[in-house]
Every structure is written in C-alpha cells, then in structure tokens.
Amino acid sequence: MLACASTLLFVFAQNVAMLLAGRFLSGLGAGLLTGTAPAGLAELEPTGSQQRAARVATAANMGGLGLGPLVAGLFAQLAPAPTRLVFVVYLLFLLVALLLVGVLPETVKAPDHVLNLRPRVAVPPSTRTIFVEAAVTVVCVFALLGLFSALAPSFLRSTLHEPNLIVAGVVVFLLFGTASAAQVVLHTLTTRTARLAGRSLLLLALALIELGLGLSSLALFLAGTVIGGLGIGLAFMGSLAAINQVAPPEQRAAVVSAFFVAAYCGVSVPVVGVGLLAQGTNLLVASICLAAVIALLLLLTLAAVLWPVRRAALKVGNR
C-alpha cells in the first residue's frame, strides 16, 4: 500500500516536496518488505533449506533493482512523458502484486491476533559474531550498488564518453542481473564458499572498475561490472543464508530487518560521502577513495572467515 501511495505521488508530482514525500513513503514500504519477505520465504521453505530461501530472496532483490534502471533508461530515451509513464506502468505491477500477496498464508502464528506495527530490529547474542561479519559485508555490497545506481550515468557520460541513457540502464542492469544469475548458476555452493568467493570477486571487481575509469576504458569497466555482479550475488546470498541459519525462528524477521538496515545504510551513506568529496576533488578521486574503504572492509571480513578459531555460531554459519 505504501508503494502504491508513493507511486501515485510520483505520477502527480508538481514540486520537489511531493517527490520527497514519494521517496519517503517508498522507503517505508521497502523497509517493511525487505525484512519480512526474506524471513517469510525462509519459513515457507518445506525442507528447511535456508540457503534456497536466501537464494530466492537475493535473486528477487537484485533482479528487481536491476530491472528498475534498465526500464527507466528505456523510458527516458524512447518513451513519451518518461517521468510519469514509467510510474504508471509500475503502479499496474504493484496492484497485481498486492492481489497476489492477499492470498499468501501467514507463516508465523502469533499468540494473539492484535496487529503490532512496532518496528522489530534485533540481534540476539548468539548471532552477533555472524551478524557483524554479514552486516559489514552487506554494507560493502550495497555501497557498490549505490555507487552504480546513482553515478553510473555520470561515469559513462563524463569519464567514458557514453551519453546514451539506455546504455546507462544496461550497465546498471548488468551489475544487478549478473548478481541474480549467480544465485541460479552457483546455488550449490556452501554458505561459507559463497561468502569467501563473493568477497574475493568483489575485490577484483573494484580494481577493474577503478582501472577502467582511470584509463577511460569501457571494456575494463564492463569487465569489472560483470565480475562485481558475480561477487555481489554470492556475497549477499551467503551472508543472508548465514543470518537465516543462526537466527532463532521467532526472531528471524527482526534479525533480517537489522541486516537490511545495514544494507540500506550502505546504499545511501557512502554515495552521499562520494558526492561531498567530489565537490572538493572530482568524481574519479572520490570513487577511488570509496573503493579503497570497501576493499579494506572486505579484507577484514575475509580475515574473520578464514581465522582458525571456531565458535559455535561460526560452525553454523560455515555450513
């Protein structure tokens, strides 16, 4: 409902205030959904395979985030009234989704049936070791996603000399689409292997992306984009699966919500920092600084996984 309300504001927006209100409602709707939907998938899983639930949730998240820029680029370049028509089409899809959600069963039976809208974000002591490692990883993942979503058109236009908006949409879709495809192709990897491989691929991708920007090489930039998509898909899938494995069933939605709070801090705060830094330097220097911070954090999480000390929580997360 919040997503429908925000989309209506985008369709009929006449000023910046209406756009900001639409963004606020859109964020509320996304926040409510991203915590409960993955938890619901995990609880609906008949075989108890939390990794499969995490794979579906990740593919849906990444696939949707990738389709948005791709469709927006097509509308912006080809369609009439692109700033409104794209939201009309999106609203139609939302209405269909709303009808489908209405027939889904409740996955957790509460002792009473009183609707409680109090936000639930929790990290139980038994999950903290895995949670911190997963949260740092997802901050890195979403920082890269935020950088691409916000600044890919600017990079393509100013640094790589490609002004076409469809190309910008395709590049962002390539990152998210590859991340989604990784869930399907590499779903047999263990949680630990996915976490390790994802972070290693992300480190390689950061190097290629920054090298491509520094040399104005679209080929290197695209290679880094594809490898980054693979790394994002594996790192996110492995981290979410680890969270699902250690979270108590009655607190799973709250723990997953805390995981996504970290993710959305990663997608928003670093991009703002890049923008502020770019004002005093330039966009390339700012992106290099962000890449260096992400690389350092990824190396720390790799060390945490490879460290020989084994705790009870780690044994669950490494399955």
Side-chain angles (χ1 to χ4, degrees), residues 46-71:
T47 64
S49 173
Q50 306 303 333
Q51 190 176 29
R52 184 164 72 175
R55 184 171 70 249
V56 173
T58 304
N61 271 283
M62 296 298 175
L65 289 169
L67 282 174
L70 176 62
V71 174

Side-chain angles (χ1 to χ4, degrees), residues 137-207:
T137 300
V138 81
V139 166
C140 295
V141 165
F142 272 69
L144 181 57
L145 293 176
L147 183 69
F148 261 74
S149 299
L151 298 176
S154 298
F155 284 135
L156 288 167
R157 183 175 60 253
S158 62
T159 305
L160 301 174
H161 314 297
E162 178 54 71
N164 192 292
L165 294 174
I166 296 178
V167 174
V170 168
V171 167
V172 179
F173 174 75
L174 190 62
L175 183 74
F176 287 95
T178 306
S180 296
Q183 318 308 309
V184 178
V185 177
L186 301 173
H187 67 274
T188 57
L189 293 178
T190 65
T191 300
R192 185 174 189 271
T193 300
R195 286 148 61 202
L196 289 172
R199 292 163 200 179
S200 301
L201 288 170
L202 280 172
L203 288 169
L204 175 59
L206 287 170

Side-chain angles (χ1 to χ4, degrees), residues 45 100 114 137 187 190 197 213 283 299 313:
E45 174 55 57
L100 293 176
V114 178
T137 300
H187 67 274
T190 65
L213 291 174
L283 198 56
L299 287 171

Side-chain angles (χ1 to χ4, degrees), residues 1-2 28 31-33 36 106 110 112-121 257:
M1 294 298 294
L2 287 172
L28 283 179
L32 290 171
L33 186 62
T36 55
E106 177 56 72
D112 55 54
H113 299 282
V114 178
L115 180 64
N116 187 348
L117 295 179
R118 181 174 59 85
R120 297 176 181 85
V121 177
S257 293

